[in-house]
Amino acid sequence: MKHPGKFITFEGGEGAGKSTQAELLAKRLTDKGIEVVTTREPGGTPGAELVRYLLKTGMLEPLGPFTETIMVSAARDDHLNEVIRPALEDGKWVISDRFADSTRAYQGSASGVEPEIINALERIVVGDDQPDLTLLLDLPLETGLDRAKSRAGEEGVEDDRFDRQDKNFHKNLREAFHDIAEQNPDRVVVVDAGRLKRSVSSSVWKVVQDRLLS
Ligand code: TMP
């Protein structure tokens, strides 16, 4: 076994409810006496939160998707070294709102960075520390975009770089996440996120019980 903890990630397009579901799952696990660390990407350390701000405001956009890929990977390296690996080595469970699949979908499939570059950076930065389980929260395009619009202004970012993209970008994103799920059936489970928060949370819990607690 690589480490005693468990690593769970939530992925999906804009407005899928990842952070809410991550919190609800953390509560269920904590109630079972499991020590949980919840975190997010880009973010989780002061340096990585700075990259988050630069990414979400679009300040990195003029530098192009290749630079965005380098920057989110650097943020991930810091996050893994400072937060994720130490917690897993301590036997804690780590739940991250987004991780490396987001780079593959946003910078790779939807923005055109070649898979060779994404694969190489992932190998260097993530190595063997892939998530034990990834919950892909899937939502019809329109629902996700409407939900994301109603959240505008959160985190001090009025004009989110990705909320601004056209429908085709978001359609590509959704397909990219589906491809990732198809290619990684042992790790990724698709959850229908177009339902009430409570129903989504029950589905998530069932998957976690089946895959990691049985
Ligand atoms: P969110 O957590 O509110 O979805 O915001 C994070 C944003 O960052 C989201 O638009 C997706 C984007 N992102 C990337 O473009 N690449 C990445 O590698 C990650 C982790 C996130």
Side-chain angles (χ1 to χ4, degrees), residues 14 18 41-42 52 55-56 68 72 76 97-99 102-103 106-107 151 155 160 162:
E14 308 290 314
K18 295 173 288 81
E41 284 216 349
R52 180 184 184 87
L55 180 74
K56 285 188 69 112
E68 274 186 1
V72 293
R76 179 161 306 128
D97 178 351
R98 295 196 186 280
F99 191 63
S102 282
T103 311
Y106 279 80
Q107 280 67 46
R151 278 182 350 200
E155 297 186 39
D160 186 288
F162 293 105

Side-chain angles (χ1 to χ4, degrees), residues 189-207:
V189 178
V190 182
V191 174
D192 173 5
R195 297 171 293 153
L196 289 177
K197 182 159 92 175
R198 208 161 4 108
S199 312
V200 179
S201 168
S202 299
S203 302
V204 164
W205 184 233
K206 186 167 184 329
V207 173

Side-chain angles (χ1 to χ4, degrees), residues 79-111:
H79 188 208
L80 275 160
N81 289 333
E82 298 299 321
V83 176
I84 299 175
R85 289 187 180 115
L88 293 173
E89 277 155 23
D90 263 4
K92 294 176 185 155
W93 287 39
V94 176
I95 303 177
S96 186
D97 178 351
R98 295 196 186 280
F99 191 63
D101 294 325
S102 282
T103 311
R104 202 166 281 283
Y106 279 80
Q107 280 67 46
S109 308
S111 308

Side-chain angles (χ1 to χ4, degrees), residues 1-7 85 88-90 126-133 187:
M1 194 162 67
K2 39 183 188 166
H3 49 64
K6 296 273 182 229
F7 184 22
R85 289 187 180 115
L88 293 173
E89 277 155 23
D90 263 4
V126 181
D128 290 334
D129 294 312
Q130 288 289 346
D132 297 290
L133 173 66
R187 172 175 66 85

Side-chain angles (χ1 to χ4, degrees), residues 32-146:
K32 275 186 90 64
I34 294 171
E35 264 195 275
V36 182
V37 172
T38 50
T39 186
R40 68 178 181 180
E41 284 216 349
T45 67
E49 287 291 332
L50 178 59
V51 172
R52 180 184 184 87
Y53 182 74
L54 296 175
L55 180 74
K56 285 188 69 112
T57 51
M59 284 179 186
L60 293 177
E61 203 176 354
L63 294 157
F66 174 65
T67 303
E68 274 186 1
T69 309
I70 303 265
M71 295 295 282
V72 293
S73 301
R76 179 161 306 128
D77 186 56
D78 193 40
H79 188 208
L80 275 160
N81 289 333
E82 298 299 321
V83 176
I84 299 175
R85 289 187 180 115
L88 293 173
E89 277 155 23
D90 263 4
K92 294 176 185 155
W93 287 39
V94 176
I95 303 177
S96 186
D97 178 351
R98 295 196 186 280
F99 191 63
D101 294 325
S102 282
T103 311
R104 202 166 281 283
Y106 279 80
Q107 280 67 46
S109 308
S111 308
V113 175
E114 292 80 0
E116 291 74 24
I117 294 174
I118 306 269
N119 290 343
L121 283 165
E122 196 174 305
R123 218 167 30 246
I124 295 164
V125 172
V126 181
D128 290 334
D129 294 312
Q130 288 289 346
D132 297 290
L133 173 66
T134 296
L135 294 142
L136 170 56
L137 299 192
D138 183 51
L139 207 57
L141 220 53
E142 301 292 345
T143 321
L145 291 178
D146 286 351

